[in-house]
Amino acid sequence: METVCTVADLRAYVRAWRAAEETVALTPTMGALHEGHLSLVTLGKARADRVVASIFVNPTQFGPAEDLEAYPSDEVRDAEMLEGAGCDLIFAPSVEEMYPPGFSTKVRVEGLTECLCGATRPGHMDGVAQVVTKLLNQAQADYAVFGEKDWQQLAVIRRLARDLDIPTEILGAPIVREADGLAMSSRNRYLDDAQRAAAGQLNVILRRAADRIAEGAAVEAEMAVARAPLLKAGFEKVDYVECRHGDDLTLVETFDPAHPARVFAAAHIGRARLIDNIAVAGPA
Ligand code: PAF
């Protein structure tokens, strides 16, 4: 498995694979990999002959008070994990390669980015849309795989690929969870033991709310009471707990099993801001 740092080198690999009639999957990451990322590679491998993993901590999706500088990084371990998962190539561009002097193009997906993390992390979803548009154009892969933990991000990426006629099929990979149900995240490594134990309550509380909504509880009332147990469990601040439709992210007023819905949350504990989402009456 090689690592390339330029778009030209990435494209040379992809061109050679295409000349050999091989298909290609891209798995964009920001490094600090865990089993959740490896599941993206596994899904990519199941669909395509070759898998490229990009590792790029994208500065444009971090706000000024966020953890860009502190974002975890472990290049050697990342490469070992990717190789073990069957990845064929790492694309690890520099900031200058991605955003050369004079770079001035923005990508905004309206309608899907004003709620949830788009509301609580201003500019975040625009930064994601920008870098993913670039990665999709750079790799020109047949498939690109993203985790369902970032459900809103996945919805935004599906929409931009459709709207901009990007001929890469976007695949969602199910959330990979720890034994207590905590969704795997690079930011989990910010947690000390007590915070880690408390963090396991996030999915428990969301699952309880999702189950109650599926059983007929009023959505608004259920969401109104979901914050308190998170704060009691040890979370210091809850950005949102909301029930929204999975496809267009509109708020659910009354749950209709014919229109799939999910309960979404973002909450802070210690240095970590954790997100999760759980299907109402469906697999997590
Ligand atoms: O989900 C992530 O790790 C990032 O948002 C992504 C998709 C790699 C874009 O920087």
Side-chain angles (χ1 to χ4, degrees):
M1 187 190 64
E2 296 291 318
T3 298
V4 295
C5 300
T6 66
V7 177
D9 287 346
L10 167 66
R11 287 205 170 140
Y13 268 92
V14 173
R15 232 182 355 258
W17 290 333
R18 290 216 178 285
E21 299 194 351
E22 291 179 316
T23 53
V24 182
L26 171 71
T27 60
T29 81
M30 298 205 299
L33 303 182
H34 50 69
E35 291 296 321
H37 293 111
L38 299 189
S39 78
L40 310 183
V41 175
T42 303
L43 180 54
K45 279 254 79 66
R47 296 295 286 268
D49 301 307
R50 300 287 188 169
V51 175
V52 181
S54 63
I55 299 181
F56 179 64
V57 182
N58 173 39
T60 71
Q61 68 187 76
F62 288 79
E66 293 185 348
D67 58 345
L68 173 62
E69 300 306 330
Y71 198 80
S73 150
D74 193 341
E75 287 163 27
V76 174
R77 188 161 173 274
D78 286 353
E80 284 168 3
M81 289 174 77
L82 288 170
E83 185 150 37
C87 178
D88 295 280
L89 182 70
I90 295 176
F91 174 51
S94 64
V95 173
E96 294 71 32
E97 179 75 5
M98 293 299 273
Y99 301 113
F103 188 93
S104 55
T105 301
K106 303 242 183 267
V107 181
R108 166 164 297 168
V109 180
E110 291 180 341
L112 293 176
T113 56
E114 292 81 9
C115 62
L116 301 173
C117 290
T120 48
R121 298 182 67 189
H124 169 67
M125 284 294 160
D126 294 348
V128 168
Q130 180 185 53
V131 77
V132 171
T133 301
K134 285 178 65 69
L135 289 166
L136 294 175
N137 283 327
Q138 289 163 346
Q140 302 183 341
D142 300 276
Y143 306 98
V145 193
F146 299 86
E148 291 182 349
K149 178 173 74 68
D150 298 276
W151 187 276
Q152 181 180 22
Q153 168 174 284
L154 179 59
V156 167
I157 293 166
R158 284 192 202 283
R159 183 68 62 83
L160 75 82
R162 188 203 70 176
D163 288 356
L164 300 178
D165 303 308
I166 295 174
T168 300
E169 187 180 334
I170 307 300
L171 305 175
I175 299 173
V176 179
R177 297 182 180 280
E178 303 282 359
D180 65 350
L182 177 65
M184 288 195 184
S185 164
S186 303
R187 291 184 169 102
N188 290 352
R189 61 183 82 184
Y190 293 156
L191 304 172
D192 66 22
D193 290 349
Q195 291 161 348
R196 170 63 191 82
Q201 283 303 301
L202 179 57
N203 80 96
V204 174
I205 291 162
L206 291 192
R207 163 58 55 210
R208 198 178 303 140
D211 286 349
R212 285 180 48 80
I213 291 168
E215 286 158 9
V219 175
E220 201 181 330
E222 206 51 49
M223 292 299 92
V225 297
R227 284 170 180 255
L230 283 170
L231 295 169
K232 189 160 173 238
F235 285 87
E236 287 121 24
K237 183 175 161 226
V238 179
D239 281 350
Y240 57 79
V241 188
E242 292 180 359
C243 185
R244 290 182 175 264
H245 294 112
D247 50 4
D248 56 11
L249 303 183
T250 51
L251 274 172
V252 176
E253 284 168 19
T254 307
F255 175 58
D256 170 2
H259 194 178
R262 306 186 79 82
V263 179
F264 296 84
H268 298 254
I269 183 163
R271 287 172 54 218
R273 177 184 183 275
L274 303 182
I275 61 171
D276 201 351
N277 68 90
I278 300 236
V280 177

